Amino acid sequence: MSKRLQVLLEEQEMAEIQAISRNHHMTVAEWVRQTLRAARRAEPLENMQSKLGVVYAAADYAFPAPDIDQMLEEIDRGYDSVQDI
């Protein structure tokens, strides 16, 4: 089911939006819908505390890692083996 949204804009804002939508070869309504969808996708769905909780939980684990020289040597060996193919 569709819902109507009414937004009041200053004349200058509306003129700019009309020009932008014309440049994109779309109606003002379609440009506004697409812009609102993009803005909505950019917003985090979860709150920051929830995300930080996941990061803190992951930080509690101790994963083995070699020293930096060994790690760089292994990376170089990996690159070398790919170049031989």
Side-chain angles (χ1 to χ4, degrees), residues 38-50:
R40 197 178 72 234
R41 282 192 302 269
E43 284 296 313
L45 294 177
E46 297 181 29
N47 66 29
M48 188 59 69
Q49 287 300 88
S50 173

Side-chain angles (χ1 to χ4, degrees), residues 4-5 9-10 15-16 20 22 26 30 35-36 41-42 45 50 55 57-58 61 64 72 77 80 83 85:
R4 182 178 304 273
L5 172 66
L9 300 170
E10 298 292 329
E16 290 174 7
I20 292 167
R22 255 192 319 276
M26 60 179 69
E30 183 57 28
T35 303
L36 287 173
R41 282 192 302 269
L45 294 177
S50 173
V55 171
Y61 293 97
L72 292 173
R77 267 189 279 147
D80 291 342
Q83 291 174 356
I85 296 177

Side-chain angles (χ1 to χ4, degrees), residues 8-72:
L8 300 176
L9 300 170
E10 298 292 329
E11 285 185 40
Q12 181 61 37
E13 287 177 306
M14 186 62 186
E16 290 174 7
I17 291 171
Q18 287 170 327
I20 292 167
S21 64
R22 255 192 319 276
N23 288 340
H24 289 277
H25 305 288
M26 60 179 69
T27 64
V28 169
E30 183 57 28
W31 183 84
V32 169
R33 279 191 293 271
Q34 288 185 17
T35 303
L36 287 173
R37 285 181 191 126
R40 197 178 72 234
R41 282 192 302 269
E43 284 296 313
L45 294 177
E46 297 181 29
N47 66 29
M48 188 59 69
Q49 287 300 88
S50 173
K51 289 182 178 184
L52 284 175
V54 171
V55 171
Y56 291 143
D60 286 340
Y61 293 97
F63 298 105
D67 66 55
I68 187 67
D69 292 327
Q70 180 184 350
M71 196 179 317
L72 292 173

